[in-house]
Structures are given as C-alpha cells and as structure tokens.
Amino acid sequence: MASGLASDLFRIKTLERLNADAEAGDNKLERHLGPWSLIGLGIGAVIGAGLFSLTGIAAAEHAGPAVVISFAIAAIGCAFAGMCYSELAGMIPVAGSAYTYAYATMGEFIAWIIGWDLVLEYAVGAATVSVSWSRYVTRFLQDTLGVTLPGSLVHSPFETYQLADGTMAHGLVNLPAIFIIVAASALLMVGIRESARVNGAVVLVKIAVVLIVIGVGLFYIKAQNYDPFLPPNTGTFGEYGWSGVMRAAGVVFFAYVGFDAVSTAAQEAKNPQRNMMIGILGSLFICTILYIAFAGVLTGLVHYDAMKGDAAPVNTAIAQTPFPWLKGLVTFGVICGFSTVILVLLLGQSRVFYTMSQDRLLPGFFSAIHPKWKTPYRSNLFFMVFTSALGGFLPISQLGHMTSIGTLLAFILVCIGVVILRRTQPDAPRAYRTPLVPLVPILGVVSCAAMMVSLDGETWLRLIIWLAIGLVIYFAWSRRHSRIGREEGDRATTAM
C-alpha cells in the first residue's frame, strides 16, 4: 500500500507526453507571441511601484548610494533562476511554468504543491497590486483633475477612512480595485495577441516615464550626495557597510519578482525554443539597467539620510528639480506599472490552472478554450471573480509577503528541476543550456532559500496553512482524478 502511494505521488509526466499534449486536438492555445512580446510581458510584470518605493527605503536604511550595487547583486540572484527557467521553458514549451517543470522532474505531488503555491504568487499578488493601483488612481484623480471619489467606494469593509468632520467610517467596497481586475481579465479573455499589444503599449509608456525621470534628474545631481558612496557600518548588521548592501539586496530582490510569469506563456510563443530564453533573460537585463540607473539618479538628487522615514522619497527627489509636473508623471508611471503587473499575473494564473485542469488535478471546467478567442476563458472568468473579490472586500495588502514566498519556492524547485533533467535526460535537445550546472542551480537554490529564511514568521505560517489546504484538496479529489493516474490504472487493469 505504502509503495503504491509513493508511486502515485511521484509519477512523472514525460517530456514527450508534455509536448504531445500541448499540440493535440482543437482544445489548445495558439502561438502568437514573438520575442519582443515576451520581453514586454517580462517588463510588464517586473517594473511596478517597487522601482519608486523600494529604492529609497533600501538606500536610506541599509546601503546609501551603494544601493546600486544591491540592485546588481539582486539581479545576479534572479539571473540564476532566470537561466534555469530559460532552459526548461525551451525544453518544455508548455503552459504552466514551474508546475509543468516539476511534473516532468519531481512528480505529481510536488507539481501539485508548486501549482497550488503559484496561486499565492499570481492571484494573491494581483489582488494586492489592485489595492495599491486603487490608491494611486484615487490620488492621481484628486491631484490632477480635482475629482474625489467617495471614501466608502475606495476602501474595503475592513478598512477605515476619515470623514470631512474628522470622524472615522468603514468602507463598503474598493471599486477601483475591482475595476482593474475585471478590465484586465476581460482583455485576457478576448485574446493573447490583443493582451500582448496592450501590455506592450503600456510598457512603452512606463519605460518612457522612467527614462524621463532619469534624463531630467541627471542634470540636477549633486556630487556631494554620493559622499560617502558606501557609508560605514553603524555597528549593527544590515545598517550600512557591506552587510547593509547585502541586506538592501534582499529588500530590492522583490522588485524583480514577476519575470518568471513569462514562462507561463510558453505554449503561446512562436519558436519557444529560442524566444523563451530571449523573453526571460532579455526582460531581466532591461529591468536591471533601469533599476540601477534610477537608483543612481535618486541618490544623487537627495542625500540618503534625507530619505530616512520619507514615505515618498521619489517625490522628495523630484522636488530638487524645477519641474513639479514630474510628480504627476511619476504617479502616472506607477499606475501604468501596476496595470501591466496585474495583467501579466492574471495571465500566468489562468495558464497554470488551464494546465492543471488538462491533467485533471483540477476540474476540466478550467481547461475549456473559447472557440473564437482561443483563450482559457473560464479560468480567466473564475479568477476575475475570485481576485476582484479579494481586492474589493479584503485588506489584501497585508498579504503581500505571501507573493514573495510563493515566488521564491517556485524558483527553488525550477533550479532543482534543471539538475534532475540533466541527470535523467542528458541527451534531450536543449535550445539553451544553463551554464556551470550544477553550480548555477545550486547558487539559485541557496540565494532563494536565504531570502525565504529572512521573511517573518507570520508569512511562513500563512504559507503552511495555504499548503495544508492544498494537500486536503489533492488527497480528497485531485489524486483520484489525475489523468495520468487513471491511464496507469487502466493499463494495469488491461494487463491483468
């Protein structure tokens, strides 16, 4: 009995089976995405408000102007995982990302865990970002157009806001958060080509905003603000010095989270063996250059000490220039950044559910493809309702760390998957090969594990509870309905 259970839990879906299923029948996704569309998806997921908020926090509290080194270190850590993602995405050009890779290397049970975990990264992440999007849009409408939305319609029932007479009141629903989730989901249902075009246009806008801020700020940098470039350590680990640089790297690491969502679109990529690597590593490279340049300008405009405790350090920096309109431009850039982050996270979530549904670890309802749009519209519709409910009615912003821990766990399993496939299928064709295996995957595992350990106990507790719920669903329903499990059972019955 125990050996049978073990064989069920660790049954593997072969590479040949994965690729054959992806191209079989009419119920499949269509390949429309070229390399630039994939790079756009990566940039759309990565560049959000983290660029404008984490930079000032990391500089003021940990690294000073040396925060540019912290961004570089964090990028190297992401690159380890990015190279592993690129190898597997080229070998297995199938929707599902880390879930699919785990199924091919570590078996069904681990695949279920990572698939369930990706709900944290994508669905909860999109809901969290929708709440922040709502706040920025509300502020932008008030500051630029003089339009003030009712407080009851921009706060969840669990949040309070101040009325004109000074009294406090509870909100009813966060309507802007619901609006952006519904709009992004509707766009994803209409088609991946249309979604990629809109994402690409918005990505160009937000890159332009970042470049304008960098370009204008360069002319108002004060050299004395870089002195000292690496402030001496205060005697406390993580407060300046090299320990501060490393602590800041851990802080800004989360500004890079999201590039892995590119891999969920592998089944919709043209020439995925070549283009997935370009999309993943290309978007990571571009974002790293923008982050380092932005951090350099920000710390040159304002001395890092002045940003300590500052809730809006970028606005403080912009005040050093004679262009007050830059403040509104930055807010607009943040709104654009959040919009594409939500779009790409919802894209990733729907593709993971589509793939898990095809494997019958989830009901077949989620793998239905719309006859005209060629998208998993039911999966999009489900998460439109689920995610908008989270963003509209819960104080979901406090769950932001759950997105980070889910991402890091996915990174670790992908790095391990590369090592396993190099041993079990060394001759399988690889359009891109991760260099220095197993060293690079091991470094990826170690760096991501270190980031996970640094997260607080409440985040770990929420992860454990979430995974426990997933285990109940797996053993109560998914294991018995598994497509591969049923096929193996049929073959065993026939053989008898």
Side-chain angles (χ1 to χ4, degrees):
M1 179 72 71
S3 61
L5 175 61
S7 64
D8 286 352
L9 295 181
F10 298 103
R11 52 196 174 208
I12 287 174
K13 195 172 183 182
T14 65
L15 298 185
E16 295 77 15
R17 174 66 180 274
L18 283 166
N19 289 313
D21 284 352
E23 301 301 329
D26 297 325
N27 193 40
K28 63 181 182 179
L29 303 170
E30 293 192 343
R31 298 191 180 276
H32 291 301
L33 302 179
W36 286 109
S37 294
L38 293 169
I39 288 175
L41 289 177
I43 297 174
V46 173
I47 295 185
L51 176 66
F52 301 99
S53 60
L54 291 180
T55 305
I57 293 171
E61 299 181 2
H62 304 296
V67 69
V68 296
I69 300 176
S70 302
F71 270 110
I73 292 172
I76 292 171
C78 288
F80 293 142
M83 287 186 283
C84 294
Y85 265 100
S86 296
E87 176 169 328
L88 295 183
M91 292 179 68
I92 314 171
V94 177
S97 185
Y99 159 78
T100 300
Y101 309 150
Y103 216 152
T105 56
M106 287 168 273
E108 183 176 283
F109 181 62
I110 302 299
W112 168 264
I113 289 177
I114 197 60
W116 189 248
D117 167 74
L118 286 174
V119 176
L120 285 181
E121 179 181 355
Y122 295 136
V124 176
T128 302
V129 175
S130 74
V131 174
S132 296
W133 185 92
S134 172
R135 290 172 182 164
Y136 274 96
V137 167
T138 302
R139 186 185 310 164
F140 184 76
L141 291 175
Q142 186 171 357
D143 293 344
T144 60
L145 302 178
V147 176
T148 301
L149 300 178
S152 61
L153 300 183
V154 295
H155 293 87
S156 75
F158 298 94
E159 296 174 305
T160 58
Y161 65 98
Q162 191 172 18
L163 297 173
D165 60 5
T167 59
M168 303 301 292
H170 282 275
L172 294 177
V173 60
N174 193 334
L175 277 183
I178 292 177
F179 168 79
I180 188 59
I181 294 293
V182 171
S185 299
L187 179 60
L188 289 169
M189 281 188 277
V190 169
I192 186 63
R193 183 192 284 115
E194 293 76 10
S195 300
R197 286 173 179 169
V198 171
N199 176 76
V202 179
V203 163
L204 289 177
V205 171
K206 70 178 180 181
I207 288 179
V209 170
V210 173
L211 291 177
I212 289 171
V213 173
I214 293 172
V216 172
L218 278 173
F219 293 98
Y220 299 93
I221 286 176
K222 298 175 183 176
Q224 61 266 32
N225 288 334
Y226 292 132
D227 186 21
F229 180 76
L230 180 59
N233 184 260
T234 62
T236 302
F237 185 88
E239 291 185 7
Y240 310 120
W242 283 107
S243 67
V245 170
M246 294 306 297
R247 176 67 61 83
V251 171
V252 302
F253 173 85
F254 302 113
Y256 288 96
V257 166
F259 71 87
D260 58 305
V262 175
S263 63
T264 65
Q267 202 166 325
E268 292 156 284
K270 294 182 288 188
N271 191 8
Q273 289 75 13
R274 169 181 174 270
N275 292 341
M276 292 309 301
M277 179 270 292
I278 295 174
I280 293 171
L281 297 182
S283 59
L284 186 57
F285 175 76
I286 292 172
C287 291
T288 300
I289 297 299
L290 291 175
Y291 279 166
I292 291 175
F294 190 87
V297 169
L298 182 69
T299 52
L301 288 172
V302 181
H303 196 270
Y304 68 92
D305 270 340
M307 290 188 284
K308 190 170 293 186
D310 189 344
V314 177
N315 289 340
T316 302
I318 288 171
Q320 308 305 310
T321 74
F323 306 111
W325 52 267
L326 276 176
K327 180 180 177 181
L329 189 66
V330 167
T331 302
F332 182 67
V334 172
I335 292 171
C336 289
F338 276 147
S339 300
T340 56
V341 169
I342 292 169
L343 180 71
V344 179
L345 289 179
L346 290 174
L347 167 70
Q349 182 59 80
S350 63
R351 272 47 178 181
V352 171
F353 255 53
Y354 162 78
T355 308
M356 295 177 75
S357 176
Q358 279 200 318
D359 294 331
R360 293 301 182 265
L361 297 184
L362 289 171
F365 171 88
F366 294 109
S367 58
I369 298 295
H370 194 278
K372 179 181 178 181
W373 300 332
K374 299 299 181 183
T375 59
Y377 69 107
R378 289 179 179 172
S379 184
N380 287 127
L381 188 61
F382 173 80
F383 279 100
M384 180 182 76
V385 175
F386 175 66
T387 310
S388 62
L390 291 178
F393 295 99
L394 293 177
I396 196 70
S397 54
Q398 57 185 260
L399 300 180
H401 285 316
M402 292 179 70
T403 304
S404 301
I405 199 168
T407 302
L408 289 165
L409 180 57
F411 283 8
I412 288 173
L413 293 180
V414 168
C415 291
I416 294 172
V418 166
V419 177
I420 292 175
L421 277 182
R422 286 291 184 94
R423 290 181 176 274
T424 59
Q425 300 205 39
D427 299 324
R430 291 169 169 83
Y432 170 82
R433 297 179 67 89
T434 303
L436 301 175
V437 173
L439 178 61
V440 166
I442 289 174
L443 290 174
V445 170
V446 171
S447 60
C448 293
M451 300 291 180
M452 291 184 72
V453 170
S454 70
L455 293 172
D456 59 87
E458 286 188 9
T459 299
W460 276 94
L461 179 61
R462 289 169 182 154
L463 176 66
I464 292 170
I465 293 173
W466 180 256
L467 292 180
I469 294 171
L471 292 181
V472 171
I473 295 173
Y474 176 77
F475 285 105
W477 194 91
S478 302
R479 178 171 167 264
R480 292 187 292 108
H481 291 83
S482 167
R483 183 178 170 190
I484 291 182
R486 289 197 166 192
E487 290 175 357
E488 289 180 351
D490 291 342
R491 286 195 295 269
T493 302
T494 302
M496 294 174 62

